[in-house]
Amino acid sequence: MFKKFDDRESVSGNIQMKSSVQKAIKAKLLDQYPYIEAYISSIMPKKETLKIVKCHDHIELLANQSGELLFFRHREGRYMPTLRLIHKYPFLLPPLQVDKGAIRFILSGANIMCPGLTSPGAKLTSVPKDTPVAIMAEGKQHAVCIGLTKMSTDEMQSVNKGIGVDNLHYLNDGLWYMKAIK
């Protein structure tokens, strides 16, 4: 999604949100990620105004007052945390770990295949289909990618072929290098 994303060309504008819209977005985030309730005030302080950054291809980015990117979404889909936010709060998404052989493919934007998630060195957390996950890499401390599962982890283990997770945002893509929004 962000492979050829360039903040100078892809951003079409940004708007500050009204407090009622901020409350609605916070409520939606708490509904999608109920375990962040204790941290929502540090992620999005009450007194700060949030910005919505509109981009091409129907992408919206959610940024705080200082311009730090927090969440993104495509069309009217669910809000997904950025990798920088996942590095600060690693418990936001359930982790799936890939083996060492999959790292270079993930960092070039490839989707995560089932064999990379079921081989030795990989670890699966039980999640259903269409769940946002943080992809960890064998031997690495931080997440390398944010993805959306194409099948449940039980199906991944039984089928063991095809795409298991769609790669939405990975280290060194356009969103990772995007500067703070002023």
Side-chain angles (χ1 to χ4, degrees):
M1 184 182 313
F2 295 105
K3 193 170 195 169
K4 295 181 180 169
F5 188 83
D6 183 15
D7 58 339
R8 284 170 266 136
E9 295 173 10
S10 299
V11 174
S12 56
N14 64 38
I15 27 179
Q16 287 192 340
M17 286 190 265
K18 296 179 183 176
S19 61
S20 59
V21 176
Q22 281 184 218
K23 285 180 187 176
I25 288 177
K26 279 185 186 180
K28 191 180 283 189
L29 288 171
L30 287 172
D31 186 44
Q32 289 176 5
Y33 308 106
Y35 30 84
I36 68 166
E37 190 166 2
Y39 302 94
I40 195 75
S41 60
S42 62
I43 295 172
M44 297 186 203
K46 245 183 186 173
K47 299 290 180 189
E48 276 191 14
T49 54
L50 296 175
K51 299 176 197 173
I52 291 182
V53 180
K54 300 273 187 177
C55 303
H56 298 300
D57 299 327
H58 305 281
I59 295 172
E60 282 184 5
L61 306 173
L62 201 60
N64 63 14
Q65 196 168 8
S66 61
E68 178 188 2
L69 300 172
L70 304 172
F71 293 90
F72 66 92
R73 76 175 177 172
H74 186 250
R75 298 202 182 266
E76 293 299 314
R78 66 172 24 156
Y79 283 102
M80 305 286 278
T82 61
L83 267 174
R84 293 192 191 275
L85 190 65
I86 290 293
H87 289 178
K88 286 182 185 175
Y89 304 97
F91 52 84
L92 285 181
L93 295 177
L96 299 181
Q97 181 173 307
V98 296
D99 61 356
K100 288 182 179 181
I103 297 171
R104 69 181 178 132
F105 297 107
I106 292 170
L107 294 180
S108 64
N111 291 325
I112 295 90
M113 307 302 280
C114 289
L117 291 164
T118 57
S119 65
K123 294 179 187 159
L124 288 176
T125 306
S126 183
V127 293
K129 181 180 178 182
D130 293 326
T131 303
V133 291
I135 302 296
M136 311 299 281
E138 181 183 8
K140 304 296 179 197
Q141 180 183 0
H142 295 291
V144 294
C145 151
I146 304 293
L148 193 64
T149 56
K150 297 280 282 183
M151 56 180 87
S152 70
T153 50
D154 296 332
E155 287 178 88
M156 288 179 204
Q157 286 178 327
S158 63
V159 173
N160 202 23
K161 77 168 34 164
I163 298 172
V165 180
D166 272 337
N167 187 343
L168 300 178
H169 168 38
Y170 56 94
L171 284 175
N172 300 328
D173 67 358
L175 185 59
W176 175 259
Y177 282 119
M178 191 168 173
K179 293 177 178 63
I181 302 298
K182 299 292 178 202

